[in-house]
Amino acid sequence: MTGDRNSSVCVLGTGLIGGSLLRAATAAGYRAWGYNRSAPGAQAARADGFDVESDIAAVLSRAAADDALIVLAVPMPAIDTVLADVKTFAPDCTLTDVVSVKEPVRVEVHRQELGAYYVGGHPMAGTAESGWAASSPDLFRDAAWAVGVDPGTRAEPWNRVARLALDCGAIVVPVLADEHDRAVARISHLPHVLAEALAVAGAAGGDLALGLAAGSFRDGTRVAATAPDLVRAICEPNAAALTEAIDDALRLLAAARDSLRDEGTLGELIDAGYSERDRYDTLRRWDITDIRPGDHDWLERLRDAGRQGGVIRSLD
Amino acid sequence: MTGDRNSSVCVLGTGLIGGSLLRAATAAGYRAWGYNRSAPGAQAARADGFDVESDIAAVLSRAAADDALIVLAVPMPAIDTVLADVKTFAPDCTLTDVVSVKEPVRVEVHRQELGAYYVGGHPMAGTAESGWAASSPDLFRDAAWAVGVDPGTRAEPWNRVARLALDCGAIVVPVLADEHDRAVARISHLPHVLAEALAVAGAAGGDLALGLAAGSFRDGTRVAATAPDLVRAICEPNAAALTEAIDDALRLLAAARDSLRDEGTLGELIDAGYSERDRYDTLRRWDITDIRPGDHDWLERLRDAGRQGGVIRSLD
């Protein structure tokens, strides 16, 4: 963490992501504190030495007094309620979030007239576990962290949010909210849906099949162990983009099924899948070094760079 | 390994599975040697201190002279050719295989009149890597190893094959060939097909999507990194059962897509997937201890026990 300015962070929600952020920001030298809606949840974090309360008014009033960066780390269904509290107690604070969709959060933030200092965020990290107990200060180490570059975003809050992501060990990917949502539908939400389908179709083979299951089934169903309510909260707010991604998967699978049934071969799918997995394995991220937030056209230039695989690893 | 009887093993094919078996059997005290069709492939194994040649006549003649257990460890498309060599040079040896489908191998073995001492096998282990270089003596440690109990199977070769599996560190699952094939279609071949589809549908989001991809995409596409020819050789001989498994997945995914598009919810799939993954995680294998190969109805009793999750961890 660089310097002392803007060095406080208020995390609303201390589950896996919010809790890990509280730990990581603290480790990076921020003054960081948090809110958990349940008293036992807050108590669990306090028992580990973190400053977490279940009194949202107190937590947010402190944020307002200390000019803290507020991080919304609650699931999408709770965002409107928490934003109403922010509006009441800390309407002038810089605001970001770590929710798995960006456009619905952005819309709600603007509906509640909190858009002036808002910059959307989404760290691409997680485990099948959830809750404070699963949180870790290293969760974001080398992870991509999407940071919004939607029109109207201001440079100062953007820098502050990007710096927090970097200080947590992540790599910043600049992205528009709706492009983010279409992308994560394919690489985060679709994997969840396919994992659930594989778990069901596999278990239909009974204990014999499950007893023979090895690495391909274990890995392919890993995220199906995520709590169902959390999966719904992650995927369902992105319904339009996820519907399109599932449609794509259905077309690919139906073509393979038809080819296998009629000609005994899985057709083009196998070579295509191998080739695209290789593309993923060999993806070269390049560093964005020549765009300074606040410069002319900086948002458009960051957006274009992000589309082409550009990332930010440090800020001056 | 128990005692000294039946202690030689001849492995035909020294790729990932055959190579690992050669290493594991050697480590367990067997006299073990092998065949690789390519001279450089055989040389690579010899360089690591293993007795591997590319002269099939010599390798099999030695098996006949030493009453070795012959293990077919070539992909399904090469099975007929290799069986013809076995028929020529070592027709009276006990015979097993490690191919990913069992019924097509069983049919071919009987067509070539080699069924008298044949017992099908399939160790449920692997990596996305292939070839001798990826082989490991520990690949089968705690893995399930399917061993055939089809009608007509004789007790002596069955014991010998099961003992090899146990000596390699695996757990024996007794199973009929066609029931095995329907089971692995769901927990091994379907995961491959879904991984390929996810790789393609994910990469359709471009470098931005691939750059944001994290654990769910990485794990969900892991087996798409397997060499395409190997995936085809594993999956396509099981066309009928795999077609049925893909059909199941298509139905589940289409229902989720419809529900998401029309009602904004993924419907029953998420709870069902979570529940079935939990069933897999908590599956209790129980030990078969009261069925002795050769006893009255031993094949039927082992078959029934295997269907109900029973496994063999040791032989007297």
Side-chain angles (χ1 to χ4, degrees):
Chain A
M1 189 185 155
T2 317
D4 206 18
R5 306 151 296 137
N6 307 139
S7 56
S8 63
V9 173
C10 169
V11 183
L12 305 180
T14 52
L16 171 66
I17 303 295
S20 296
L21 202 159
L22 184 60
R23 290 177 185 273
T26 301
Y30 285 84
R31 288 188 305 282
W33 66 93
Y35 157 79
N36 190 289
R37 67 175 174 164
S38 89
Q43 176 55 39
R46 277 202 304 275
D48 286 343
F50 291 88
D51 186 357
V52 177
E53 293 182 59
S54 53
D55 178 346
I56 187 107
V59 166
L60 284 172
S61 298
R62 182 174 166 194
D66 204 31
D67 188 28
L69 167 57
I70 296 174
V71 182
L72 309 170
V74 297
M76 185 64 215
I79 283 291
D80 55 350
T81 310
V82 171
L83 279 174
D85 290 327
V86 171
K87 175 86 175 173
T88 302
F89 299 108
D92 298 322
C93 280
T94 299
L95 189 62
T96 187
D97 73 294
V98 292
V99 176
S100 55
V101 286
K102 296 277 57 75
E103 187 63 12
V105 177
R106 204 182 69 83
V107 167
E108 185 61 23
V109 163
H110 283 273
R111 197 185 67 75
Q112 299 209 25
E113 298 176 333
L114 287 163
Y117 302 103
Y118 170 73
V119 178
H122 183 204
M124 304 305 299
T127 73
E129 305 299 310
S130 57
W132 171 265
S135 66
S136 158
D138 298 319
L139 186 66
F140 310 114
R141 185 73 43 202
D142 298 325
W145 191 312
V147 178
V149 288
D150 293 273
T153 300
R154 298 184 189 192
E156 200 205 340
W158 198 92
N159 263 327
R160 198 164 165 187
V161 171
R163 194 175 297 280
L164 175 65
L166 295 172
D167 286 337
C168 288
I171 298 158
V172 168
V173 177
V175 62
L176 292 177
D178 65 343
E179 292 186 3
H180 165 278
D181 292 356
R182 286 202 298 273
V184 296
R186 293 179 175 278
I187 53 79
S188 172
H189 306 165
L190 181 61
H192 274 281
V193 172
L194 292 180
E196 310 282 6
L198 178 57
V200 176
D207 283 356
L208 175 64
L210 291 179
L212 290 172
S216 63
F217 184 79
R218 186 179 60 241
D219 287 357
T221 60
R222 182 181 61 82
V223 292
T226 309
D229 282 347
L230 191 55
V231 175
R232 282 187 281 265
I234 289 171
C235 294
E236 293 178 350
N238 202 16
L242 180 53
T243 297
E244 194 175 306
I246 301 176
D247 271 333
D248 273 10
L250 282 167
R251 273 192 294 273
L252 291 163
L253 292 170
R257 187 265 324 267
D258 291 349
S259 172
L260 186 63
R261 184 191 57 207
D262 301 338
E263 295 161 47
T265 157
L266 286 161
E268 296 164 9
L269 180 63
I270 309 303
D271 285 313
Y274 178 79
S275 165
E276 297 296 43
R277 166 74 196 199
D278 184 60
R279 183 177 159 200
Y280 164 70
D281 280 332
T282 57
L283 187 72
R284 204 179 55 81
R285 286 181 167 131
W286 56 273
D287 290 0
I288 303 168
T289 55
D290 59 341
I291 307 170
R292 208 175 307 268
D295 283 357
H296 183 65
D297 285 343
W298 69 282
L299 287 170
E300 292 80 357
R301 290 171 64 207
L302 281 180
R303 175 200 67 197
D304 291 347
R307 281 178 183 160
Q308 292 158 35
V311 299
I312 296 170
R313 293 182 194 269
S314 71
L315 293 168
D316 309 332
Chain B
M1 189 187 155
T2 317
D4 206 18
R5 307 149 297 139
N6 307 141
S7 57
S8 63
V9 174
C10 168
V11 183
L12 306 180
T14 53
L16 171 66
I17 304 295
S20 296
L21 203 159
L22 183 59
R23 288 177 185 273
T26 301
Y30 285 84
R31 289 188 303 281
W33 66 95
Y35 158 79
N36 191 291
R37 67 173 174 164
S38 89
Q43 175 55 37
R46 278 202 304 277
D48 286 343
F50 291 87
D51 186 358
V52 177
E53 292 182 58
S54 53
D55 177 346
I56 188 105
V59 166
L60 284 172
S61 297
R62 182 173 165 194
D66 204 31
D67 187 28
L69 166 55
I70 296 174
V71 182
L72 311 169
V74 297
M76 186 64 215
I79 283 291
D80 55 350
T81 310
V82 170
L83 279 174
D85 290 327
V86 172
K87 175 86 173 174
T88 303
F89 298 107
D92 299 321
C93 280
T94 298
L95 189 62
T96 188
D97 73 294
V98 292
V99 177
S100 55
V101 287
K102 296 277 56 76
E103 187 63 12
V105 177
R106 204 182 69 83
V107 166
E108 184 61 23
V109 163
H110 283 273
R111 197 185 66 76
Q112 298 209 27
E113 298 177 333
L114 286 164
Y117 302 102
Y118 169 73
V119 179
H122 183 203
M124 305 304 299
T127 73
E129 305 299 310
S130 56
W132 171 265
S135 65
S136 158
D138 297 320
L139 186 67
F140 311 113
R141 185 73 44 202
D142 298 325
W145 190 312
V147 178
V149 288
D150 294 272
T153 301
R154 297 184 189 191
E156 200 205 340
W158 198 91
N159 263 326
R160 199 165 164 188
V161 171
R163 194 175 299 279
L164 175 65
L166 296 172
D167 287 337
C168 289
I171 298 157
V172 168
V173 178
V175 62
L176 292 177
D178 65 343
E179 294 186 2
H180 165 277
D181 292 356
R182 287 202 296 274
V184 297
R186 292 179 176 278
I187 52 80
S188 171
H189 305 165
L190 181 62
H192 274 281
V193 172
L194 292 180
E196 309 282 7
L198 178 56
V200 176
D207 283 357
L208 175 65
L210 291 178
L212 290 172
S216 63
F217 184 79
R218 185 180 60 242
D219 287 357
T221 59
R222 182 181 62 83
V223 292
T226 309
D229 282 347
L230 191 55
V231 175
R232 282 187 280 265
I234 288 171
C235 295
E236 293 177 350
N238 202 17
L242 180 53
T243 297
E244 195 175 305
I246 301 176
D247 271 332
D248 274 9
L250 283 168
R251 274 191 293 272
L252 293 163
L253 292 170
R257 187 264 326 263
D258 292 350
S259 173
L260 186 63
R261 185 191 55 206
D262 301 339
E263 296 161 47
T265 157
L266 286 160
E268 296 165 10
L269 180 63
I270 307 303
D271 285 313
Y274 178 79
S275 166
E276 297 297 42
R277 165 73 197 200
D278 184 61
R279 183 178 160 201
Y280 164 70
D281 280 332
T282 57
L283 187 72
R284 203 180 56 81
R285 285 182 169 131
W286 56 274
D287 290 1
I288 304 168
T289 55
D290 61 340
I291 308 169
R292 209 175 306 268
D295 283 359
H296 182 65
D297 286 343
W298 68 281
L299 287 169
E300 293 80 358
R301 290 171 64 207
L302 281 180
R303 175 201 67 196
D304 292 347
R307 281 178 184 160
Q308 292 158 35
V311 300
I312 296 170
R313 293 182 194 270
S314 70
L315 294 168
D316 310 332

